[in-house]
Amino acid sequence: MTIDPTAPASRTRRHGARAAVAASGWLALAVTLLPAGFPLRWVPVLLFVCLGPGLALLHPQPRGLRPGARLEAFALAAPLSLALAALTATFLFLVGGFSVPAFLVPLAAFTTVATFLPGLPLPAATRGAVAPADAESFLSRERGPGGGR
């Protein structure tokens, strides 16, 4: 049995990243308490709304992410976050209770809970994100008579 000396460091790094994602929503909510004319007030809110919930759903993979899967997770985080934000905003508009804090609190709570759950499975994370060298491309396959399958 071999012991990987980098395992505790990678586990600590993963927990730190998960904690940062969980805290990002509450930080965005806290920034809204700054004066209205403060120029950097919108940056944490925008970053959280665009990436926070999606990263919380995709990032905590059980065995970590392979290099290709990291790009896939980051690319999927923005549309997933924006979809959750749109659903939250739509619900708040329909019930007549939209405000920035009322919008950020459910998203921050969802993000915090999602960071404690395992991430959604990603195809590239399970496949290895890279095709084996001896794998054949679908373009190079010989076609039968008539060019069909």
PDB file of all heavy atoms in Angstrom, residues 19-34 38 40-53 99-109 111-112:
ATOM      1  N   ALA A  19     -15.273  25.977   0.230  1.00  0.00           N
ATOM      2  CA  ALA A  19     -15.629  27.007   1.214  1.00  0.00           C
ATOM      3  C   ALA A  19     -15.709  28.381   0.560  1.00  0.00           C
ATOM      4  O   ALA A  19     -16.589  29.187   0.889  1.00  0.00           O
ATOM      5  CB  ALA A  19     -14.617  27.014   2.352  1.00  0.00           C
ATOM      6  N   ALA A  20     -14.806  28.655  -0.390  1.00  0.00           N
ATOM      7  CA  ALA A  20     -14.827  29.947  -1.081  1.00  0.00           C
ATOM      8  C   ALA A  20     -16.098  30.093  -1.920  1.00  0.00           C
ATOM      9  O   ALA A  20     -16.703  31.173  -1.955  1.00  0.00           O
ATOM     10  CB  ALA A  20     -13.592  30.091  -1.963  1.00  0.00           C
ATOM     11  N   VAL A  21     -16.501  29.030  -2.586  1.00  0.00           N
ATOM     12  CA  VAL A  21     -17.734  29.084  -3.382  1.00  0.00           C
ATOM     13  C   VAL A  21     -18.933  29.269  -2.465  1.00  0.00           C
ATOM     14  O   VAL A  21     -19.842  30.051  -2.752  1.00  0.00           O
ATOM     15  CB  VAL A  21     -17.882  27.817  -4.255  1.00  0.00           C
ATOM     16  CG1 VAL A  21     -19.249  27.749  -4.898  1.00  0.00           C
ATOM     17  CG2 VAL A  21     -16.803  27.785  -5.322  1.00  0.00           C
ATOM     18  N   ALA A  22     -18.945  28.566  -1.327  1.00  0.00           N
ATOM     19  CA  ALA A  22     -20.062  28.693  -0.386  1.00  0.00           C
ATOM     20  C   ALA A  22     -20.136  30.105   0.196  1.00  0.00           C
ATOM     21  O   ALA A  22     -21.226  30.657   0.373  1.00  0.00           O
ATOM     22  CB  ALA A  22     -19.921  27.676   0.736  1.00  0.00           C
ATOM     23  N   ALA A  23     -18.992  30.702   0.482  1.00  0.00           N
ATOM     24  CA  ALA A  23     -18.963  32.044   1.073  1.00  0.00           C
ATOM     25  C   ALA A  23     -19.212  33.146   0.049  1.00  0.00           C
ATOM     26  O   ALA A  23     -19.569  34.271   0.427  1.00  0.00           O
ATOM     27  CB  ALA A  23     -17.622  32.277   1.753  1.00  0.00           C
ATOM     28  N   SER A  24     -19.048  32.851  -1.235  1.00  0.00           N
ATOM     29  CA  SER A  24     -19.168  33.893  -2.260  1.00  0.00           C
ATOM     30  C   SER A  24     -20.564  34.512  -2.292  1.00  0.00           C
ATOM     31  O   SER A  24     -20.709  35.715  -2.518  1.00  0.00           O
ATOM     32  CB  SER A  24     -18.805  33.335  -3.633  1.00  0.00           C
ATOM     33  OG  SER A  24     -19.738  32.359  -4.045  1.00  0.00           O
ATOM     34  N   GLY A  25     -21.585  33.724  -2.069  1.00  0.00           N
ATOM     35  CA  GLY A  25     -22.952  34.263  -2.071  1.00  0.00           C
ATOM     36  C   GLY A  25     -23.196  35.199  -0.901  1.00  0.00           C
ATOM     37  O   GLY A  25     -23.824  36.247  -1.049  1.00  0.00           O
ATOM     38  N   TRP A  26     -22.697  34.820   0.257  1.00  0.00           N
ATOM     39  CA  TRP A  26     -22.877  35.660   1.442  1.00  0.00           C
ATOM     40  C   TRP A  26     -22.034  36.918   1.338  1.00  0.00           C
ATOM     41  O   TRP A  26     -22.434  37.980   1.812  1.00  0.00           O
ATOM     42  CB  TRP A  26     -22.570  34.853   2.702  1.00  0.00           C
ATOM     43  CG  TRP A  26     -23.432  33.626   2.750  1.00  0.00           C
ATOM     44  CD1 TRP A  26     -23.029  32.343   2.607  1.00  0.00           C
ATOM     45  CD2 TRP A  26     -24.857  33.578   2.895  1.00  0.00           C
ATOM     46  NE1 TRP A  26     -24.113  31.488   2.658  1.00  0.00           N
ATOM     47  CE2 TRP A  26     -25.245  32.223   2.849  1.00  0.00           C
ATOM     48  CE3 TRP A  26     -25.846  34.540   3.066  1.00  0.00           C
ATOM     49  CZ2 TRP A  26     -26.566  31.814   2.971  1.00  0.00           C
ATOM     50  CZ3 TRP A  26     -27.164  34.125   3.192  1.00  0.00           C
ATOM     51  CH2 TRP A  26     -27.514  32.791   3.140  1.00  0.00           C
ATOM     52  N   LEU A  27     -20.871  36.820   0.687  1.00  0.00           N
ATOM     53  CA  LEU A  27     -20.054  38.010   0.432  1.00  0.00           C
ATOM     54  C   LEU A  27     -20.792  38.958  -0.512  1.00  0.00           C
ATOM     55  O   LEU A  27     -20.816  40.171  -0.296  1.00  0.00           O
ATOM     56  CB  LEU A  27     -18.695  37.626  -0.158  1.00  0.00           C
ATOM     57  CG  LEU A  27     -17.826  38.777  -0.618  1.00  0.00           C
ATOM     58  CD1 LEU A  27     -17.272  39.527   0.589  1.00  0.00           C
ATOM     59  CD2 LEU A  27     -16.699  38.275  -1.493  1.00  0.00           C
ATOM     60  N   ALA A  28     -21.398  38.407  -1.557  1.00  0.00           N
ATOM     61  CA  ALA A  28     -22.163  39.238  -2.495  1.00  0.00           C
ATOM     62  C   ALA A  28     -23.326  39.926  -1.784  1.00  0.00           C
ATOM     63  O   ALA A  28     -23.608  41.099  -2.040  1.00  0.00           O
ATOM     64  CB  ALA A  28     -22.681  38.380  -3.648  1.00  0.00           C
ATOM     65  N   LEU A  29     -23.963  39.210  -0.881  1.00  0.00           N
ATOM     66  CA  LEU A  29     -25.051  39.816  -0.115  1.00  0.00           C
ATOM     67  C   LEU A  29     -24.523  40.908   0.808  1.00  0.00           C
ATOM     68  O   LEU A  29     -25.131  41.978   0.931  1.00  0.00           O
ATOM     69  CB  LEU A  29     -25.777  38.745   0.692  1.00  0.00           C
ATOM     70  CG  LEU A  29     -26.980  39.204   1.494  1.00  0.00           C
ATOM     71  CD1 LEU A  29     -28.067  39.731   0.555  1.00  0.00           C
ATOM     72  CD2 LEU A  29     -27.506  38.071   2.343  1.00  0.00           C
ATOM     73  N   ALA A  30     -23.383  40.693   1.437  1.00  0.00           N
ATOM     74  CA  ALA A  30     -22.798  41.695   2.338  1.00  0.00           C
ATOM     75  C   ALA A  30     -22.371  42.948   1.579  1.00  0.00           C
ATOM     76  O   ALA A  30     -22.486  44.064   2.095  1.00  0.00           O
ATOM     77  CB  ALA A  30     -21.608  41.109   3.080  1.00  0.00           C
ATOM     78  N   VAL A  31     -21.899  42.788   0.348  1.00  0.00           N
ATOM     79  CA  VAL A  31     -21.449  43.928  -0.450  1.00  0.00           C
ATOM     80  C   VAL A  31     -22.618  44.856  -0.781  1.00  0.00           C
ATOM     81  O   VAL A  31     -22.428  46.053  -0.965  1.00  0.00           O
ATOM     82  CB  VAL A  31     -20.735  43.422  -1.725  1.00  0.00           C
ATOM     83  CG1 VAL A  31     -20.511  44.512  -2.747  1.00  0.00           C
ATOM     84  CG2 VAL A  31     -19.402  42.813  -1.344  1.00  0.00           C
ATOM     85  N   THR A  32     -23.823  44.319  -0.822  1.00  0.00           N
ATOM     86  CA  THR A  32     -24.974  45.172  -1.131  1.00  0.00           C
ATOM     87  C   THR A  32     -25.258  46.178  -0.017  1.00  0.00           C
ATOM     88  O   THR A  32     -26.018  47.119  -0.230  1.00  0.00           O
ATOM     89  CB  THR A  32     -26.244  44.334  -1.380  1.00  0.00           C
ATOM     90  OG1 THR A  32     -26.555  43.593  -0.202  1.00  0.00           O
ATOM     91  CG2 THR A  32     -26.056  43.410  -2.569  1.00  0.00           C
ATOM     92  N   LEU A  33     -24.667  45.991   1.150  1.00  0.00           N
ATOM     93  CA  LEU A  33     -24.844  46.939   2.251  1.00  0.00           C
ATOM     94  C   LEU A  33     -23.946  48.173   2.113  1.00  0.00           C
ATOM     95  O   LEU A  33     -24.126  49.136   2.846  1.00  0.00           O
ATOM     96  CB  LEU A  33     -24.560  46.249   3.587  1.00  0.00           C
ATOM     97  CG  LEU A  33     -25.473  45.071   3.917  1.00  0.00           C
ATOM     98  CD1 LEU A  33     -25.006  44.387   5.193  1.00  0.00           C
ATOM     99  CD2 LEU A  33     -26.914  45.524   4.032  1.00  0.00           C
ATOM    100  N   LEU A  34     -22.980  48.130   1.187  1.00  0.00           N
ATOM    101  CA  LEU A  34     -22.114  49.290   0.949  1.00  0.00           C
ATOM    102  C   LEU A  34     -22.935  50.437   0.366  1.00  0.00           C
ATOM    103  O   LEU A  34     -24.007  50.217  -0.202  1.00  0.00           O
ATOM    104  CB  LEU A  34     -20.979  48.919  -0.004  1.00  0.00           C
ATOM    105  CG  LEU A  34     -19.952  47.925   0.537  1.00  0.00           C
ATOM    106  CD1 LEU A  34     -18.998  47.503  -0.570  1.00  0.00           C
ATOM    107  CD2 LEU A  34     -19.190  48.523   1.695  1.00  0.00           C
ATOM    108  N   PHE A  38     -20.653  53.296  -4.332  1.00  0.00           N
ATOM    109  CA  PHE A  38     -19.380  52.579  -4.281  1.00  0.00           C
ATOM    110  C   PHE A  38     -19.168  51.846  -5.599  1.00  0.00           C
ATOM    111  O   PHE A  38     -20.000  51.029  -6.009  1.00  0.00           O
ATOM    112  CB  PHE A  38     -19.388  51.605  -3.099  1.00  0.00           C
ATOM    113  CG  PHE A  38     -18.034  51.070  -2.752  1.00  0.00           C
ATOM    114  CD1 PHE A  38     -17.057  51.892  -2.228  1.00  0.00           C
ATOM    115  CD2 PHE A  38     -17.748  49.734  -2.948  1.00  0.00           C
ATOM    116  CE1 PHE A  38     -15.815  51.388  -1.900  1.00  0.00           C
ATOM    117  CE2 PHE A  38     -16.512  49.223  -2.632  1.00  0.00           C
ATOM    118  CZ  PHE A  38     -15.538  50.062  -2.100  1.00  0.00           C
ATOM    119  N   LEU A  40     -17.127  49.426  -6.735  1.00  0.00           N
ATOM    120  CA  LEU A  40     -16.892  47.985  -6.829  1.00  0.00           C
ATOM    121  C   LEU A  40     -17.994  47.158  -6.178  1.00  0.00           C
ATOM    122  O   LEU A  40     -17.819  45.981  -5.902  1.00  0.00           O
ATOM    123  CB  LEU A  40     -15.548  47.644  -6.191  1.00  0.00           C
ATOM    124  CG  LEU A  40     -14.325  48.219  -6.895  1.00  0.00           C
ATOM    125  CD1 LEU A  40     -13.058  47.842  -6.159  1.00  0.00           C
ATOM    126  CD2 LEU A  40     -14.265  47.734  -8.329  1.00  0.00           C
ATOM    127  N   ARG A  41     -19.118  47.749  -5.954  1.00  0.00           N
ATOM    128  CA  ARG A  41     -20.230  47.059  -5.309  1.00  0.00           C
ATOM    129  C   ARG A  41     -20.806  45.953  -6.184  1.00  0.00           C
ATOM    130  O   ARG A  41     -21.213  44.900  -5.693  1.00  0.00           O
ATOM    131  CB  ARG A  41     -21.308  48.096  -4.980  1.00  0.00           C
ATOM    132  CG  ARG A  41     -22.484  47.543  -4.274  1.00  0.00           C
ATOM    133  CD  ARG A  41     -23.456  48.646  -3.958  1.00  0.00           C
ATOM    134  NE  ARG A  41     -24.701  48.060  -3.498  1.00  0.00           N
ATOM    135  CZ  ARG A  41     -25.743  48.746  -3.141  1.00  0.00           C
ATOM    136  NH1 ARG A  41     -25.710  50.049  -3.178  1.00  0.00           N
ATOM    137  NH2 ARG A  41     -26.830  48.153  -2.743  1.00  0.00           N
ATOM    138  N   TRP A  42     -20.827  46.121  -7.469  1.00  0.00           N
ATOM    139  CA  TRP A  42     -21.491  45.185  -8.359  1.00  0.00           C
ATOM    140  C   TRP A  42     -20.611  44.002  -8.769  1.00  0.00           C
ATOM    141  O   TRP A  42     -21.111  42.966  -9.194  1.00  0.00           O
ATOM    142  CB  TRP A  42     -21.991  45.898  -9.613  1.00  0.00           C
ATOM    143  CG  TRP A  42     -20.908  46.545 -10.391  1.00  0.00           C
ATOM    144  CD1 TRP A  42     -20.425  47.805 -10.229  1.00  0.00           C
ATOM    145  CD2 TRP A  42     -20.141  45.968 -11.453  1.00  0.00           C
ATOM    146  NE1 TRP A  42     -19.406  48.042 -11.118  1.00  0.00           N
ATOM    147  CE2 TRP A  42     -19.216  46.925 -11.879  1.00  0.00           C
ATOM    148  CE3 TRP A  42     -20.159  44.731 -12.075  1.00  0.00           C
ATOM    149  CZ2 TRP A  42     -18.303  46.685 -12.904  1.00  0.00           C
ATOM    150  CZ3 TRP A  42     -19.250  44.482 -13.099  1.00  0.00           C
ATOM    151  CH2 TRP A  42     -18.342  45.467 -13.505  1.00  0.00           C
ATOM    152  N   VAL A  43     -19.271  44.114  -8.628  1.00  0.00           N
ATOM    153  CA  VAL A  43     -18.369  43.059  -9.107  1.00  0.00           C
ATOM    154  C   VAL A  43     -18.604  41.729  -8.370  1.00  0.00           C
ATOM    155  O   VAL A  43     -18.798  40.694  -9.030  1.00  0.00           O
ATOM    156  CB  VAL A  43     -16.896  43.508  -9.030  1.00  0.00           C
ATOM    157  CG1 VAL A  43     -15.954  42.371  -9.372  1.00  0.00           C
ATOM    158  CG2 VAL A  43     -16.653  44.687  -9.956  1.00  0.00           C
ATOM    159  N   PRO A  44     -18.589  41.676  -7.033  1.00  0.00           N
ATOM    160  CA  PRO A  44     -18.836  40.384  -6.381  1.00  0.00           C
ATOM    161  C   PRO A  44     -20.233  39.822  -6.654  1.00  0.00           C
ATOM    162  O   PRO A  44     -20.408  38.614  -6.783  1.00  0.00           O
ATOM    163  CB  PRO A  44     -18.665  40.669  -4.886  1.00  0.00           C
ATOM    164  CG  PRO A  44     -17.995  41.983  -4.795  1.00  0.00           C
ATOM    165  CD  PRO A  44     -18.261  42.709  -6.059  1.00  0.00           C
ATOM    166  N   VAL A  45     -21.208  40.705  -6.777  1.00  0.00           N
ATOM    167  CA  VAL A  45     -22.567  40.247  -7.053  1.00  0.00           C
ATOM    168  C   VAL A  45     -22.635  39.624  -8.446  1.00  0.00           C
ATOM    169  O   VAL A  45     -23.194  38.540  -8.638  1.00  0.00           O
ATOM    170  CB  VAL A  45     -23.582  41.404  -6.913  1.00  0.00           C
ATOM    171  CG1 VAL A  45     -24.972  40.970  -7.345  1.00  0.00           C
ATOM    172  CG2 VAL A  45     -23.601  41.932  -5.489  1.00  0.00           C
ATOM    173  N   LEU A  46     -22.048  40.279  -9.423  1.00  0.00           N
ATOM    174  CA  LEU A  46     -22.056  39.764 -10.791  1.00  0.00           C
ATOM    175  C   LEU A  46     -21.305  38.438 -10.889  1.00  0.00           C
ATOM    176  O   LEU A  46     -21.795  37.487 -11.516  1.00  0.00           O
ATOM    177  CB  LEU A  46     -21.442  40.799 -11.744  1.00  0.00           C
ATOM    178  CG  LEU A  46     -21.427  40.431 -13.218  1.00  0.00           C
ATOM    179  CD1 LEU A  46     -22.857  40.334 -13.731  1.00  0.00           C
ATOM    180  CD2 LEU A  46     -20.653  41.457 -14.002  1.00  0.00           C
ATOM    181  N   LEU A  47     -20.129  38.350 -10.269  1.00  0.00           N
ATOM    182  CA  LEU A  47     -19.366  37.101 -10.309  1.00  0.00           C
ATOM    183  C   LEU A  47     -20.126  35.962  -9.633  1.00  0.00           C
ATOM    184  O   LEU A  47     -20.146  34.838 -10.131  1.00  0.00           O
ATOM    185  CB  LEU A  47     -18.003  37.283  -9.655  1.00  0.00           C
ATOM    186  CG  LEU A  47     -16.979  38.068 -10.460  1.00  0.00           C
ATOM    187  CD1 LEU A  47     -15.728  38.306  -9.643  1.00  0.00           C
ATOM    188  CD2 LEU A  47     -16.649  37.338 -11.745  1.00  0.00           C
ATOM    189  N   PHE A  48     -20.756  36.265  -8.501  1.00  0.00           N
ATOM    190  CA  PHE A  48     -21.502  35.217  -7.816  1.00  0.00           C
ATOM    191  C   PHE A  48     -22.702  34.753  -8.641  1.00  0.00           C
ATOM    192  O   PHE A  48     -22.911  33.555  -8.810  1.00  0.00           O
ATOM    193  CB  PHE A  48     -21.979  35.693  -6.438  1.00  0.00           C
ATOM    194  CG  PHE A  48     -22.977  34.760  -5.833  1.00  0.00           C
ATOM    195  CD1 PHE A  48     -22.599  33.504  -5.409  1.00  0.00           C
ATOM    196  CD2 PHE A  48     -24.310  35.126  -5.726  1.00  0.00           C
ATOM    197  CE1 PHE A  48     -23.523  32.625  -4.871  1.00  0.00           C
ATOM    198  CE2 PHE A  48     -25.237  34.255  -5.187  1.00  0.00           C
ATOM    199  CZ  PHE A  48     -24.842  33.008  -4.759  1.00  0.00           C
ATOM    200  N   VAL A  49     -23.483  35.691  -9.148  1.00  0.00           N
ATOM    201  CA  VAL A  49     -24.690  35.316  -9.894  1.00  0.00           C
ATOM    202  C   VAL A  49     -24.319  34.551 -11.165  1.00  0.00           C
ATOM    203  O   VAL A  49     -24.998  33.602 -11.548  1.00  0.00           O
ATOM    204  CB  VAL A  49     -25.548  36.563 -10.215  1.00  0.00           C
ATOM    205  CG1 VAL A  49     -26.657  36.246 -11.192  1.00  0.00           C
ATOM    206  CG2 VAL A  49     -26.120  37.137  -8.932  1.00  0.00           C
ATOM    207  N   CYS A  50     -23.218  34.926 -11.812  1.00  0.00           N
ATOM    208  CA  CYS A  50     -22.826  34.274 -13.065  1.00  0.00           C
ATOM    209  C   CYS A  50     -22.125  32.930 -12.871  1.00  0.00           C
ATOM    210  O   CYS A  50     -22.186  32.086 -13.765  1.00  0.00           O
ATOM    211  CB  CYS A  50     -21.919  35.192 -13.873  1.00  0.00           C
ATOM    212  SG  CYS A  50     -22.795  36.589 -14.574  1.00  0.00           S
ATOM    213  N   LEU A  51     -21.447  32.713 -11.736  1.00  0.00           N
ATOM    214  CA  LEU A  51     -20.658  31.484 -11.584  1.00  0.00           C
ATOM    215  C   LEU A  51     -20.929  30.696 -10.308  1.00  0.00           C
ATOM    216  O   LEU A  51     -20.723  29.484 -10.276  1.00  0.00           O
ATOM    217  CB  LEU A  51     -19.160  31.823 -11.635  1.00  0.00           C
ATOM    218  CG  LEU A  51     -18.643  32.351 -12.953  1.00  0.00           C
ATOM    219  CD1 LEU A  51     -17.216  32.823 -12.809  1.00  0.00           C
ATOM    220  CD2 LEU A  51     -18.750  31.294 -14.023  1.00  0.00           C
ATOM    221  N   GLY A  52     -21.359  31.344  -9.234  1.00  0.00           N
ATOM    222  CA  GLY A  52     -21.441  30.699  -7.930  1.00  0.00           C
ATOM    223  C   GLY A  52     -22.282  29.435  -7.859  1.00  0.00           C
ATOM    224  O   GLY A  52     -21.770  28.355  -7.525  1.00  0.00           O
ATOM    225  N   PRO A  53     -23.593  29.506  -8.145  1.00  0.00           N
ATOM    226  CA  PRO A  53     -24.409  28.293  -8.031  1.00  0.00           C
ATOM    227  C   PRO A  53     -23.968  27.172  -8.979  1.00  0.00           C
ATOM    228  O   PRO A  53     -23.989  26.002  -8.600  1.00  0.00           O
ATOM    229  CB  PRO A  53     -25.816  28.780  -8.384  1.00  0.00           C
ATOM    230  CG  PRO A  53     -25.803  30.237  -8.079  1.00  0.00           C
ATOM    231  CD  PRO A  53     -24.412  30.694  -8.396  1.00  0.00           C
ATOM    232  N   SER A  99     -36.283  41.976  -4.867  1.00  0.00           N
ATOM    233  CA  SER A  99     -35.308  42.974  -4.436  1.00  0.00           C
ATOM    234  C   SER A  99     -33.964  42.272  -4.491  1.00  0.00           C
ATOM    235  O   SER A  99     -33.899  41.035  -4.558  1.00  0.00           O
ATOM    236  CB  SER A  99     -35.607  43.482  -3.023  1.00  0.00           C
ATOM    237  OG  SER A  99     -35.389  42.465  -2.082  1.00  0.00           O
ATOM    238  N   VAL A 100     -32.892  43.022  -4.464  1.00  0.00           N
ATOM    239  CA  VAL A 100     -31.571  42.404  -4.562  1.00  0.00           C
ATOM    240  C   VAL A 100     -31.322  41.457  -3.386  1.00  0.00           C
ATOM    241  O   VAL A 100     -30.898  40.318  -3.599  1.00  0.00           O
ATOM    242  CB  VAL A 100     -30.460  43.466  -4.708  1.00  0.00           C
ATOM    243  CG1 VAL A 100     -29.081  42.830  -4.650  1.00  0.00           C
ATOM    244  CG2 VAL A 100     -30.640  44.218  -6.017  1.00  0.00           C
ATOM    245  N   PRO A 101     -31.572  41.868  -2.143  1.00  0.00           N
ATOM    246  CA  PRO A 101     -31.365  40.900  -1.056  1.00  0.00           C
ATOM    247  C   PRO A 101     -32.283  39.677  -1.154  1.00  0.00           C
ATOM    248  O   PRO A 101     -31.850  38.556  -0.902  1.00  0.00           O
ATOM    249  CB  PRO A 101     -31.664  41.703   0.212  1.00  0.00           C
ATOM    250  CG  PRO A 101     -31.463  43.117  -0.168  1.00  0.00           C
ATOM    251  CD  PRO A 101     -31.855  43.204  -1.610  1.00  0.00           C
ATOM    252  N   ALA A 102     -33.537  39.878  -1.542  1.00  0.00           N
ATOM    253  CA  ALA A 102     -34.456  38.744  -1.678  1.00  0.00           C
ATOM    254  C   ALA A 102     -34.015  37.822  -2.811  1.00  0.00           C
ATOM    255  O   ALA A 102     -34.319  36.621  -2.792  1.00  0.00           O
ATOM    256  CB  ALA A 102     -35.870  39.244  -1.941  1.00  0.00           C
ATOM    257  N   PHE A 103     -33.302  38.339  -3.786  1.00  0.00           N
ATOM    258  CA  PHE A 103     -32.772  37.548  -4.897  1.00  0.00           C
ATOM    259  C   PHE A 103     -31.513  36.798  -4.474  1.00  0.00           C
ATOM    260  O   PHE A 103     -31.328  35.631  -4.821  1.00  0.00           O
ATOM    261  CB  PHE A 103     -32.492  38.489  -6.078  1.00  0.00           C
ATOM    262  CG  PHE A 103     -31.762  37.864  -7.224  1.00  0.00           C
ATOM    263  CD1 PHE A 103     -32.369  36.891  -8.004  1.00  0.00           C
ATOM    264  CD2 PHE A 103     -30.483  38.258  -7.542  1.00  0.00           C
ATOM    265  CE1 PHE A 103     -31.703  36.325  -9.072  1.00  0.00           C
ATOM    266  CE2 PHE A 103     -29.811  37.702  -8.610  1.00  0.00           C
ATOM    267  CZ  PHE A 103     -30.417  36.731  -9.382  1.00  0.00           C
ATOM    268  N   LEU A 104     -30.625  37.457  -3.716  1.00  0.00           N
ATOM    269  CA  LEU A 104     -29.349  36.852  -3.365  1.00  0.00           C
ATOM    270  C   LEU A 104     -29.440  35.827  -2.241  1.00  0.00           C
ATOM    271  O   LEU A 104     -28.667  34.870  -2.219  1.00  0.00           O
ATOM    272  CB  LEU A 104     -28.329  37.940  -2.999  1.00  0.00           C
ATOM    273  CG  LEU A 104     -27.836  38.793  -4.159  1.00  0.00           C
ATOM    274  CD1 LEU A 104     -26.916  39.892  -3.661  1.00  0.00           C
ATOM    275  CD2 LEU A 104     -27.125  37.940  -5.200  1.00  0.00           C
ATOM    276  N   VAL A 105     -30.361  36.016  -1.305  1.00  0.00           N
ATOM    277  CA  VAL A 105     -30.447  35.086  -0.165  1.00  0.00           C
ATOM    278  C   VAL A 105     -30.763  33.659  -0.617  1.00  0.00           C
ATOM    279  O   VAL A 105     -30.062  32.716  -0.214  1.00  0.00           O
ATOM    280  CB  VAL A 105     -31.445  35.596   0.897  1.00  0.00           C
ATOM    281  CG1 VAL A 105     -31.791  34.517   1.903  1.00  0.00           C
ATOM    282  CG2 VAL A 105     -30.872  36.812   1.610  1.00  0.00           C
ATOM    283  N   PRO A 106     -31.788  33.412  -1.452  1.00  0.00           N
ATOM    284  CA  PRO A 106     -32.022  32.023  -1.873  1.00  0.00           C
ATOM    285  C   PRO A 106     -30.879  31.445  -2.695  1.00  0.00           C
ATOM    286  O   PRO A 106     -30.545  30.272  -2.561  1.00  0.00           O
ATOM    287  CB  PRO A 106     -33.296  32.081  -2.709  1.00  0.00           C
ATOM    288  CG  PRO A 106     -33.854  33.430  -2.559  1.00  0.00           C
ATOM    289  CD  PRO A 106     -32.826  34.305  -1.954  1.00  0.00           C
ATOM    290  N   LEU A 107     -30.266  32.268  -3.545  1.00  0.00           N
ATOM    291  CA  LEU A 107     -29.132  31.769  -4.326  1.00  0.00           C
ATOM    292  C   LEU A 107     -27.949  31.434  -3.429  1.00  0.00           C
ATOM    293  O   LEU A 107     -27.273  30.419  -3.634  1.00  0.00           O
ATOM    294  CB  LEU A 107     -28.712  32.793  -5.385  1.00  0.00           C
ATOM    295  CG  LEU A 107     -29.602  32.897  -6.623  1.00  0.00           C
ATOM    296  CD1 LEU A 107     -29.088  33.985  -7.553  1.00  0.00           C
ATOM    297  CD2 LEU A 107     -29.669  31.581  -7.347  1.00  0.00           C
ATOM    298  N   ALA A 108     -27.667  32.288  -2.441  1.00  0.00           N
ATOM    299  CA  ALA A 108     -26.556  32.025  -1.516  1.00  0.00           C
ATOM    300  C   ALA A 108     -26.837  30.789  -0.678  1.00  0.00           C
ATOM    301  O   ALA A 108     -25.938  29.967  -0.454  1.00  0.00           O
ATOM    302  CB  ALA A 108     -26.320  33.244  -0.629  1.00  0.00           C
ATOM    303  N   ALA A 109     -28.063  30.626  -0.222  1.00  0.00           N
ATOM    304  CA  ALA A 109     -28.412  29.443   0.572  1.00  0.00           C
ATOM    305  C   ALA A 109     -28.304  28.173  -0.278  1.00  0.00           C
ATOM    306  O   ALA A 109     -27.762  27.155   0.168  1.00  0.00           O
ATOM    307  CB  ALA A 109     -29.824  29.591   1.134  1.00  0.00           C
ATOM    308  N   THR A 111     -26.413  27.751  -2.914  1.00  0.00           N
ATOM    309  CA  THR A 111     -24.989  27.531  -3.184  1.00  0.00           C
ATOM    310  C   THR A 111     -24.303  26.902  -1.986  1.00  0.00           C
ATOM    311  O   THR A 111     -23.500  25.977  -2.134  1.00  0.00           O
ATOM    312  CB  THR A 111     -24.315  28.860  -3.560  1.00  0.00           C
ATOM    313  OG1 THR A 111     -24.977  29.386  -4.711  1.00  0.00           O
ATOM    314  CG2 THR A 111     -22.854  28.673  -3.876  1.00  0.00           C
ATOM    315  N   THR A 112     -24.617  27.379  -0.796  1.00  0.00           N
ATOM    316  CA  THR A 112     -24.001  26.831   0.408  1.00  0.00           C
ATOM    317  C   THR A 112     -24.377  25.365   0.596  1.00  0.00           C
ATOM    318  O   THR A 112     -23.518  24.527   0.876  1.00  0.00           O
ATOM    319  CB  THR A 112     -24.425  27.650   1.642  1.00  0.00           C
ATOM    320  OG1 THR A 112     -24.046  29.009   1.437  1.00  0.00           O
ATOM    321  CG2 THR A 112     -23.781  27.123   2.899  1.00  0.00           C
TER     322      THR A 112
END
